[in-house]
Coordinates of all heavy atoms in Angstrom, one line a residue:
M95 N -112.9 29.5 38.2 CA -111.9 30.5 38.4 C -110.5 29.9 38.2 O -110.2 28.8 38.6 CB -112.0 31.0 39.9 CG -111.0 32.0 40.3 SD -111.1 32.4 42.0 CE -111.9 33.9 41.9
A96 N -109.7 30.7 37.5 CA -108.3 30.3 37.1 C -107.4 30.2 38.4 O -107.5 31.0 39.3 CB -107.7 31.3 36.1
K97 N -106.6 29.2 38.4 CA -105.7 29.0 39.5 C -104.6 30.0 39.4 O -104.0 30.3 38.4 CB -105.1 27.6 39.4 CG -104.2 27.2 40.5 CD -103.7 25.7 40.3 CE -102.8 25.3 41.4 NZ -102.3 24.0 41.2
N98 N -104.3 30.7 40.6 CA -103.3 31.7 40.7 C -101.9 31.0 40.7 O -101.5 30.3 41.6 CB -103.4 32.5 42.0 CG -102.4 33.6 42.1 OD1 -101.3 33.5 41.7 ND2 -102.9 34.7 42.6
Q99 N -101.2 31.1 39.6 CA -99.9 30.4 39.4 C -98.8 30.9 40.4 O -98.0 30.1 40.8 CB -99.4 30.6 37.9 CG -100.3 30.0 36.9 CD -100.4 28.5 37.0 OE1 -99.4 27.8 37.3 NE2 -101.6 28.0 36.8
V100 N -98.9 32.1 40.8 CA -97.8 32.6 41.7 C -98.1 32.1 43.1 O -97.2 31.5 43.8 CB -97.8 34.2 41.7 CG1 -96.9 34.7 42.8 CG2 -97.4 34.7 40.4
K101 N -99.4 32.1 43.5 CA -99.8 31.7 44.8 C -99.6 30.2 45.0 O -99.2 29.8 46.1 CB -101.2 32.0 45.1 CG -101.7 31.9 46.5 CD -103.1 32.4 46.7 CE -103.6 32.2 48.1 NZ -105.0 32.6 48.2
F102 N -99.7 29.4 44.0 CA -99.6 28.0 44.1 C -98.3 27.4 43.6 O -98.3 26.2 43.4 CB -100.8 27.3 43.5 CG -102.1 27.6 44.2 CD1 -103.0 28.6 43.8 CD2 -102.4 26.9 45.3 CE1 -104.1 28.9 44.5 CE2 -103.6 27.1 46.0 CZ -104.5 28.1 45.6
Q103 N -97.3 28.2 43.5 CA -96.0 27.6 43.0 C -95.4 26.8 44.2 O -95.6 27.1 45.3 CB -95.1 28.7 42.5 CG -94.7 29.7 43.5 CD -93.8 30.8 42.9 OE1 -93.1 30.6 42.0 NE2 -94.0 32.0 43.4
K104 N -94.6 25.8 43.8 CA -94.0 25.0 44.8 C -93.1 25.8 45.6 O -92.2 26.5 45.2 CB -93.2 23.9 44.0 CG -92.7 22.7 44.9 CD -92.2 21.6 44.0 CE -91.6 20.5 44.7 NZ -91.7 20.3 46.1
G105 N -93.2 25.6 46.9 CA -92.3 26.3 47.9 C -91.0 25.6 48.2 O -90.7 24.6 47.6
I106 N -90.3 26.2 49.1 CA -89.0 25.7 49.5 C -89.0 25.9 51.1 O -89.4 26.9 51.6 CB -87.9 26.3 48.8 CG1 -86.5 25.7 49.2 CG2 -87.8 27.8 49.1 CD1 -85.4 26.1 48.4
S107 N -88.5 24.9 51.8 CA -88.5 25.0 53.2 C -87.3 25.9 53.6 O -86.4 26.2 52.8 CB -88.2 23.6 53.8 OG -86.9 23.1 53.5
I108 N -87.4 26.4 54.8 CA -86.3 27.3 55.3 C -85.0 26.5 55.3 O -83.9 27.0 55.0 CB -86.6 27.9 56.7 CG1 -85.6 28.9 57.1 CG2 -86.7 26.8 57.8 CD1 -85.6 30.2 56.2
H109 N -85.0 25.2 55.6 CA -83.8 24.4 55.6 C -83.3 24.3 54.2 O -82.1 24.4 54.0 CB -84.1 23.0 56.2 CG -83.0 22.0 56.1 ND1 -81.9 22.2 56.9 CD2 -82.7 21.0 55.3 CE1 -81.0 21.2 56.6 NE2 -81.5 20.5 55.7
G110 N -84.2 24.0 53.2 CA -83.7 24.0 51.8 C -83.2 25.3 51.3 O -82.2 25.3 50.6
F111 N -83.8 26.4 51.8 CA -83.4 27.7 51.4 C -82.0 28.0 51.9 O -81.1 28.5 51.2 CB -84.4 28.8 51.9 CG -84.0 30.2 51.4 CD1 -84.4 30.6 50.2 CD2 -83.3 31.0 52.3 CE1 -84.1 31.9 49.8 CE2 -83.0 32.3 51.9 CZ -83.4 32.7 50.6
M112 N -81.8 27.7 53.2 CA -80.5 27.9 53.8 C -79.4 27.1 53.2 O -78.2 27.5 53.1 CB -80.5 27.7 55.3 CG -81.4 28.7 56.0 SD -80.9 30.4 55.7 CE -79.4 30.5 56.6
K113 N -79.8 25.9 52.7 CA -78.8 25.0 52.1 C -78.4 25.6 50.7 O -77.2 25.4 50.3 CB -79.5 23.6 51.9 CG -78.5 22.5 51.7 CD -79.3 21.2 51.7 CE -78.3 20.0 51.4 NZ -79.0 18.7 51.4
L114 N -79.3 26.3 50.1 CA -79.0 26.8 48.7 C -78.3 28.2 48.9 O -77.5 28.6 48.1 CB -80.3 27.0 47.9 CG -80.9 25.7 47.4 CD1 -82.2 26.0 46.7 CD2 -79.9 25.1 46.4
Y115 N -78.8 29.0 49.9 CA -78.3 30.4 49.9 C -77.8 30.8 51.3 O -77.9 32.0 51.7 CB -79.5 31.3 49.5 CG -80.1 31.0 48.2 CD1 -81.4 30.4 48.1 CD2 -79.4 31.2 47.0 CE1 -82.0 30.1 46.9 CE2 -80.0 30.9 45.8 CZ -81.2 30.4 45.7 OH -81.8 30.1 44.5
G116 N -77.3 29.9 52.0 CA -76.9 30.2 53.4 C -75.6 31.0 53.6 O -75.3 31.5 54.6
T117 N -74.8 31.0 52.5 CA -73.5 31.8 52.6 C -73.4 32.9 51.6 O -74.1 32.8 50.6 CB -72.3 30.8 52.4 OG1 -72.2 30.4 51.1 CG2 -72.3 29.6 53.3
E118 N -72.6 33.8 51.8 CA -72.4 35.0 50.9 C -71.9 34.4 49.6 O -72.3 34.9 48.5 CB -71.4 35.9 51.5 CG -71.3 37.3 50.9 CD -72.5 38.1 51.1 OE1 -73.4 37.8 52.0 OE2 -72.6 39.2 50.5
E119 N -71.0 33.4 49.6 CA -70.5 32.9 48.3 C -71.6 32.2 47.5 O -71.6 32.4 46.3 CB -69.4 31.8 48.6 CG -68.1 32.4 49.2 CD -68.2 32.9 50.7 OE1 -69.1 32.3 51.4 OE2 -67.5 33.8 51.1
Q120 N -72.5 31.5 48.2 CA -73.6 30.9 47.5 C -74.5 31.9 46.8 O -75.0 31.8 45.7 CB -74.4 30.0 48.4 CG -73.8 28.7 48.8 CD -74.5 28.0 49.9 OE1 -74.9 28.5 50.9 NE2 -74.8 26.7 49.6
C121 N -74.8 33.0 47.6 CA -75.6 34.1 47.0 C -74.9 34.7 45.8 O -75.6 35.0 44.8 CB -75.9 35.1 48.1 SG -76.9 34.6 49.5
Q122 N -73.6 35.0 46.0 CA -72.9 35.6 44.8 C -72.9 34.7 43.6 O -73.0 35.2 42.5 CB -71.5 35.9 45.3 CG -71.4 37.1 46.2 CD -69.9 37.3 46.7 OE1 -69.0 36.7 46.3 NE2 -69.8 38.3 47.6
R123 N -72.7 33.4 43.8 CA -72.7 32.4 42.7 C -74.0 32.4 42.0 O -74.1 32.4 40.8 CB -72.3 31.0 43.3 CG -72.0 30.1 42.1 CD -71.5 28.7 42.7 NE -70.6 28.8 43.8 CZ -70.8 28.3 45.0 NH1 -71.9 27.5 45.2 NH2 -69.9 28.4 45.9
R124 N -75.1 32.5 42.8 CA -76.5 32.5 42.2 C -76.7 33.8 41.4 O -77.2 33.7 40.3 CB -77.5 32.4 43.3 CG -78.9 32.4 42.8 CD -79.2 31.1 42.0 NE -80.6 31.2 41.6 CZ -81.1 31.0 40.3 NH1 -80.2 30.7 39.4 NH2 -82.3 31.0 40.0
L125 N -76.2 34.9 41.9 CA -76.4 36.2 41.2 C -75.5 36.2 39.9 O -76.0 36.6 38.9 CB -75.9 37.4 42.1 CG -76.9 37.8 43.1 CD1 -76.3 38.9 44.0 CD2 -78.2 38.3 42.5
F126 N -74.3 35.6 40.0 CA -73.5 35.5 38.8 C -74.2 34.6 37.7 O -74.2 35.0 36.6 CB -72.1 34.8 39.2 CG -71.1 34.8 38.1 CD1 -70.1 35.7 38.0 CD2 -71.2 33.7 37.1 CE1 -69.2 35.7 37.0 CE2 -70.3 33.7 36.1 CZ -69.3 34.7 36.0
D127 N -74.7 33.5 38.2 CA -75.4 32.6 37.2 C -76.6 33.2 36.6 O -77.0 33.0 35.4 CB -75.8 31.3 37.9 CG -74.6 30.4 38.2 OD1 -73.5 30.7 37.7 OD2 -74.7 29.5 39.1
M128 N -77.3 34.1 37.4 CA -78.5 34.8 36.8 C -78.1 35.9 35.9 O -78.7 36.1 34.9 CB -79.3 35.4 38.0 CG -80.0 34.3 38.8 SD -80.9 35.0 40.2 CE -82.4 35.6 39.4
R129 N -77.0 36.6 36.2 CA -76.5 37.7 35.4 C -75.9 37.2 34.1 O -76.0 37.8 33.0 CB -75.6 38.6 36.2 CG -75.0 39.7 35.3 CD -74.6 40.9 36.2 NE -75.9 41.6 36.4 CZ -75.9 42.8 37.0 NH1 -74.8 43.4 37.3 NH2 -77.0 43.4 37.2
W130 N -75.1 36.2 34.2 CA -74.3 35.6 33.1 C -74.6 34.1 32.9 O -73.7 33.3 33.3 CB -72.8 35.9 33.2 CG -72.5 37.4 33.2 CD1 -72.7 38.3 32.2 CD2 -72.0 38.1 34.3 NE1 -72.3 39.5 32.6 CE2 -71.8 39.5 33.9 CE3 -71.6 37.8 35.6 CZ2 -71.3 40.5 34.7 CZ3 -71.0 38.8 36.4 CH2 -70.9 40.1 35.9
P131 N -75.8 33.7 32.5 CA -76.2 32.3 32.5 C -75.3 31.4 31.6 O -75.2 30.2 31.8 CB -77.6 32.3 32.1 CG -77.9 33.6 31.5 CD -76.9 34.6 32.1
T132 N -74.7 32.0 30.6 CA -73.8 31.2 29.7 C -72.3 31.5 29.9 O -71.5 31.3 29.1 CB -74.2 31.5 28.2 OG1 -74.0 32.9 28.0 CG2 -75.6 31.1 27.9
G133 N -72.0 32.1 31.1 CA -70.7 32.5 31.4 C -70.5 34.0 31.3 O -71.3 34.6 30.6
Y134 N -69.4 34.5 31.9 CA -69.2 35.9 31.9 C -69.1 36.5 30.6 O -68.4 36.0 29.7 CB -68.0 36.3 32.7 CG -67.6 37.7 32.8 CD1 -68.2 38.6 33.7 CD2 -66.7 38.2 31.8 CE1 -67.9 39.9 33.7 CE2 -66.4 39.6 31.8 CZ -67.0 40.4 32.7 OH -66.7 41.8 32.7
R135 N -69.7 37.7 30.4 CA -69.6 38.5 29.1 C -69.5 39.9 29.6 O -70.4 40.4 30.3 CB -70.8 38.3 28.2 CG -70.9 37.0 27.5 CD -69.9 37.0 26.3 NE -69.8 35.6 25.8 CZ -68.9 35.3 24.9 NH1 -68.1 36.1 24.4 NH2 -68.9 34.0 24.5
C136 N -68.5 40.6 29.2 CA -68.3 42.0 29.5 C -69.5 42.8 29.0 O -69.9 42.7 27.8 CB -67.0 42.6 28.9 SG -66.9 44.4 29.1
P137 N -70.2 43.6 29.8 CA -71.4 44.3 29.4 C -71.0 45.4 28.3 O -71.9 45.8 27.6 CB -71.9 45.0 30.6 CG -71.1 44.5 31.8 CD -69.9 43.7 31.2
K138 N -69.8 45.8 28.2 CA -69.4 46.8 27.3 C -68.9 46.3 26.0 O -69.3 46.7 24.9 CB -68.3 47.7 28.0 CG -68.0 49.0 27.3 CD -67.1 49.8 28.2 CE -66.7 51.1 27.5 NZ -65.7 51.9 28.3
C139 N -68.0 45.3 26.0 CA -67.4 44.8 24.8 C -67.7 43.3 24.5 O -67.2 42.7 23.5 CB -65.9 45.0 24.8 SG -65.0 43.9 25.8
H140 N -68.4 42.6 25.4 CA -68.8 41.2 25.3 C -67.6 40.2 25.3 O -67.8 39.1 24.9 CB -69.6 41.0 24.0 CG -70.8 41.9 24.0 ND1 -71.9 41.8 24.8 CD2 -71.1 43.0 23.2 CE1 -72.7 42.8 24.6 NE2 -72.3 43.5 23.6
Y141 N -66.4 40.6 25.8 CA -65.3 39.7 25.9 C -65.6 38.8 27.1 O -66.3 39.2 28.0 CB -64.0 40.5 26.2 CG -62.8 39.8 26.0 CD1 -62.4 39.2 24.8 CD2 -61.9 39.6 27.1 CE1 -61.2 38.6 24.6 CE2 -60.7 38.9 26.9 CZ -60.3 38.4 25.7 OH -59.1 37.7 25.6
D142 N -65.1 37.5 27.0 CA -65.5 36.5 28.0 C -64.4 36.3 29.1 O -64.6 35.4 29.9 CB -65.9 35.3 27.3 CG -64.8 34.6 26.5 OD1 -63.8 35.2 26.4 OD2 -65.0 33.5 26.1
K143 N -63.3 37.0 29.0 CA -62.2 36.7 30.0 C -62.3 37.9 31.0 O -62.4 39.0 30.6 CB -60.9 36.7 29.4 CG -60.7 35.6 28.3 CD -60.6 34.2 28.9 CE -60.3 33.2 27.8 NZ -61.4 32.9 26.9
Y144 N -62.1 37.6 32.3 CA -62.2 38.6 33.3 C -61.4 38.2 34.5 O -60.9 37.1 34.6 CB -63.7 38.7 33.8 CG -64.2 37.5 34.5 CD1 -64.2 37.5 35.9 CD2 -64.6 36.4 33.8 CE1 -64.6 36.4 36.6 CE2 -65.1 35.3 34.5 CZ -65.1 35.3 35.9 OH -65.5 34.2 36.6
C145 N -61.2 39.1 35.4 CA -60.6 38.9 36.7 C -61.5 39.4 37.7 O -62.2 40.4 37.5 CB -59.1 39.4 36.8 SG -59.0 41.2 36.6
Q146 N -61.5 38.8 38.9 CA -62.4 39.3 39.9 C -61.6 40.1 40.9 O -60.5 39.7 41.4 CB -63.0 38.1 40.6 CG -64.1 38.5 41.6 CD -64.9 37.3 42.2 OE1 -64.6 36.1 41.8 NE2 -65.8 37.5 43.0
L147 N -62.1 41.3 41.3 CA -61.5 42.1 42.2 C -62.2 41.8 43.6 O -63.3 42.2 43.8 CB -61.7 43.6 41.9 CG -61.3 44.0 40.5 CD1 -61.5 45.5 40.2 CD2 -59.8 43.7 40.2
H148 N -61.5 41.1 44.4 CA -62.1 40.6 45.7 C -62.3 41.8 46.6 O -63.2 41.7 47.4 CB -61.2 39.6 46.3 CG -61.1 38.3 45.5 ND1 -62.1 37.4 45.5 CD2 -60.2 37.9 44.6 CE1 -61.8 36.4 44.6 NE2 -60.7 36.7 44.1
S149 N -61.5 42.8 46.6 CA -61.7 43.9 47.5 C -63.0 44.6 47.4 O -63.6 45.1 48.3 CB -60.5 44.9 47.3 OG -60.5 45.4 46.0
R150 N -63.6 44.7 46.2 CA -64.9 45.4 46.0 C -65.9 44.5 45.2 O -66.9 45.0 44.8 CB -64.6 46.7 45.2 CG -63.7 47.7 45.9 CD -63.5 48.9 45.2 NE -64.8 49.5 44.8 CZ -65.0 50.2 43.7 NH1 -64.0 50.4 42.8 NH2 -66.2 50.8 43.4
A151 N -65.7 43.2 45.2 CA -66.6 42.3 44.5 C -67.0 42.7 43.2 O -68.2 42.8 42.8 CB -67.9 42.1 45.4
L152 N -66.0 43.1 42.4 CA -66.2 43.5 41.0 C -65.6 42.5 40.0 O -64.6 41.9 40.4 CB -65.6 44.9 40.8 CG -66.3 46.1 41.5 CD1 -65.5 47.3 41.3 CD2 -67.7 46.3 41.0
F153 N -66.1 42.5 38.8 CA -65.5 41.7 37.8 C -65.0 42.6 36.7 O -65.7 43.4 36.2 CB -66.6 40.7 37.2 CG -67.1 39.8 38.2 CD1 -68.1 40.1 39.1 CD2 -66.6 38.5 38.3 CE1 -68.6 39.2 40.0 CE2 -67.0 37.6 39.3 CZ -68.0 38.0 40.1
Q154 N -63.7 42.5 36.4 CA -63.1 43.4 35.5 C -62.7 42.7 34.2 O -62.1 41.6 34.2 CB -61.8 44.0 36.1 CG -61.1 45.0 35.1 CD -60.0 45.7 35.8 OE1 -60.3 46.5 36.7 NE2 -58.8 45.5 35.4
C155 N -63.2 43.2 33.1 CA -62.9 42.7 31.7 C -61.4 42.7 31.4 O -60.7 43.8 31.7 CB -63.7 43.5 30.7 SG -63.3 43.1 29.0
N156 N -60.9 41.6 30.9 CA -59.4 41.6 30.6 C -59.1 42.4 29.4 O -57.9 42.7 29.1 CB -59.0 40.2 30.4 CG -58.8 39.5 31.8 OD1 -59.0 40.1 32.8 ND2 -58.5 38.2 31.7
K157 N -60.1 42.7 28.6 CA -59.8 43.4 27.3 C -60.0 45.0 27.5 O -59.0 45.7 27.2 CB -60.8 42.9 26.2 CG -60.5 43.4 24.8 CD -61.5 42.7 23.9 CE -61.3 43.2 22.5 NZ -62.3 42.6 21.6
C158 N -61.1 45.4 27.9 CA -61.4 46.9 28.0 C -61.3 47.4 29.4 O -61.5 48.6 29.6 CB -62.7 47.2 27.4 SG -64.2 46.8 28.4
H159 N -61.1 46.5 30.4 CA -61.0 46.9 31.8 C -62.3 47.5 32.4 O -62.2 48.1 33.5 CB -59.8 47.8 32.0 CG -58.5 47.2 31.5 ND1 -57.9 46.2 32.1 CD2 -57.8 47.6 30.5 CE1 -56.8 45.9 31.4 NE2 -56.7 46.7 30.4
H160 N -63.4 47.3 31.7 CA -64.7 47.7 32.3 C -65.0 46.9 33.6 O -64.7 45.7 33.6 CB -65.8 47.5 31.3 CG -67.2 47.9 31.8 ND1 -67.6 49.1 32.0 CD2 -68.2 47.1 32.3 CE1 -68.8 49.1 32.5 NE2 -69.2 47.9 32.7
Q161 N -65.5 47.5 34.6 CA -65.7 46.8 35.8 C -67.2 46.6 36.0 O -68.0 47.6 35.9 CB -65.2 47.6 37.0 CG -63.7 47.6 37.0 CD -63.1 48.3 38.2 OE1 -63.8 49.1 38.9 NE2 -61.8 48.1 38.4
A162 N -67.7 45.4 36.2 CA -69.1 45.1 36.4 C -69.3 44.5 37.7 O -68.5 43.7 38.3 CB -69.5 44.1 35.3
S163 N -70.4 44.9 38.3 CA -70.8 44.5 39.7 C -71.9 43.4 39.5 O -72.8 43.5 38.7 CB -71.3 45.7 40.5 OG -72.0 45.2 41.6
L164 N -71.9 42.5 40.5 CA -73.0 41.5 40.5 C -74.3 42.1 40.9 O -75.4 41.7 40.4 CB -72.7 40.4 41.6 CG -71.8 39.3 41.2 CD1 -71.7 38.3 42.4 CD2 -72.3 38.6 40.0
I165 N -74.3 43.2 41.7 CA -75.5 43.7 42.2 C -76.0 45.0 41.6 O -77.2 45.4 41.9 CB -75.4 43.9 43.8 CG1 -74.3 44.9 44.1 CG2 -75.2 42.6 44.5 CD1 -74.2 45.3 45.5
S166 N -75.3 45.6 40.7 CA -75.8 46.8 40.1 C -77.0 46.5 39.2 O -77.1 45.5 38.6 CB -74.7 47.5 39.2 OG -74.4 46.6 38.1
G167 N -78.0 47.4 39.4 CA -79.2 47.2 38.6 C -80.2 46.2 39.3 O -81.2 45.8 38.7
T168 N -79.8 45.7 40.5 CA -80.7 44.8 41.2 C -81.2 45.4 42.5 O -80.7 46.5 42.8 CB -80.0 43.5 41.6 OG1 -79.1 43.7 42.7 CG2 -79.2 42.9 40.4
L169 N -82.1 44.8 43.2 CA -82.6 45.4 44.4 C -81.6 45.4 45.5 O -81.7 46.1 46.5 CB -83.9 44.6 44.9 CG -83.7 43.2 45.3 CD1 -83.5 43.0 46.8 CD2 -84.9 42.4 44.8
F170 N -80.4 44.7 45.3 CA -79.4 44.7 46.3 C -78.4 45.9 46.1 O -77.5 46.1 47.0 CB -78.6 43.4 46.2 CG -79.4 42.2 46.3 CD1 -79.6 41.4 45.2 CD2 -79.9 41.8 47.5 CE1 -80.3 40.2 45.3 CE2 -80.7 40.7 47.6 CZ -80.9 39.9 46.5
A171 N -78.5 46.6 45.0 CA -77.5 47.6 44.6 C -77.3 48.7 45.7 O -76.1 49.1 45.9 CB -77.9 48.3 43.3
H172 N -78.3 49.2 46.4 CA -78.1 50.3 47.3 C -78.1 49.8 48.8 O -78.3 50.6 49.7 CB -79.2 51.3 47.1 CG -79.1 51.9 45.7 ND1 -78.0 52.6 45.2 CD2 -79.9 51.7 44.6 CE1 -78.2 52.9 43.9 NE2 -79.4 52.4 43.6
S173 N -78.0 48.5 49.0 CA -78.0 48.0 50.3 C -76.6 47.7 50.8 O -75.7 47.3 50.0 CB -78.8 46.7 50.4 OG -78.6 46.1 51.6
K174 N -76.3 48.0 52.1 CA -75.0 47.7 52.6 C -75.0 46.4 53.4 O -74.1 45.9 54.0 CB -74.6 48.8 53.6 CG -74.3 50.2 52.9 CD -73.8 51.2 53.8 CE -73.7 52.6 53.2 NZ -73.0 52.7 51.9
L175 N -76.2 45.7 53.4 CA -76.3 44.5 54.1 C -75.7 43.3 53.3 O -75.7 43.4 52.1 CB -77.8 44.2 54.3 CG -78.6 45.1 55.3 CD1 -80.1 44.8 55.2 CD2 -78.0 45.0 56.7
P176 N -75.2 42.3 54.0 CA -74.7 41.1 53.2 C -75.9 40.5 52.4 O -77.0 40.6 52.8 CB -74.3 40.2 54.4 CG -74.1 41.0 55.6 CD -75.1 42.2 55.4
L177 N -75.6 39.8 51.4 CA -76.6 39.2 50.5 C -77.4 38.1 51.3 O -78.5 37.9 51.1 CB -75.9 38.5 49.3 CG -75.3 39.5 48.3 CD1 -74.5 38.7 47.3 CD2 -76.3 40.4 47.7
T178 N -76.8 37.5 52.3 CA -77.4 36.5 53.1 C -78.6 37.1 53.9 O -79.6 36.4 54.2 CB -76.5 35.8 54.1 OG1 -75.8 36.8 54.8 CG2 -75.5 34.9 53.3
I179 N -78.5 38.4 54.3 CA -79.6 39.0 55.0 C -80.7 39.3 54.1 O -81.9 39.2 54.4 CB -79.1 40.4 55.7 CG1 -77.9 40.1 56.6 CG2 -80.2 41.1 56.4 CD1 -78.2 39.2 57.8
Ligands
ZN293 ZN1 -64.8 44.6 28.0

């Protein structure tokens, strides 16, 4: 019988998990790296310069002013809970 790759993947302790994702900033940084692994790219025009709108956690393209969210299109999109929860 073939080994179930998902079931037997290496785990992480709760201590290790909290060390990686214990703060909102760490969660946001991880989402940023997953969304833009080679650095920010505007989803509309692919420009790489942006400013961050701290009031609404949005990234705004410096060229076309398109605003991109870290959580749009993810399972976090419709949640009002902090990412740490
Ligand atoms: Zn743009």
Side-chain angles (χ1 to χ4, degrees):
M95 177 183 260
K97 186 176 173 182
N98 184 324
Q99 294 299 321
V100 173
K101 190 174 178 183
F102 290 100
Q103 62 185 324
K104 190 170 174 13
I106 183 171
S107 69
I108 188 66
H109 176 72
F111 183 83
M112 293 306 288
K113 202 171 174 182
L114 288 173
Y115 306 110
T117 69
E118 194 72 9
E119 290 73 26
Q120 286 174 308
C121 293
Q122 288 178 4
R123 193 175 317 124
R124 179 68 176 130
L125 283 175
F126 186 97
D127 290 342
M128 291 176 79
R129 176 150 281 191
W130 297 295
T132 58
Y134 176 85
R135 285 283 168 187
C136 172
K138 196 172 177 184
C139 74
H140 305 291
Y141 195 62
D142 63 352
K143 303 286 188 290
Y144 68 97
C145 60
Q146 188 172 359
L147 309 179
H148 294 282
S149 58
R150 295 183 54 213
L152 293 172
F153 297 84
Q154 181 170 293
C155 174
N156 284 356
K157 189 175 179 184
C158 75
H159 305 292
H160 176 77
Q161 294 180 345
S163 162
L164 276 181
I165 58 173
S166 65
T168 74
L169 63 96
F170 305 110
H172 302 292
S173 172
K174 295 187 186 310
L175 295 172
L177 294 172
T178 50
I179 302 296

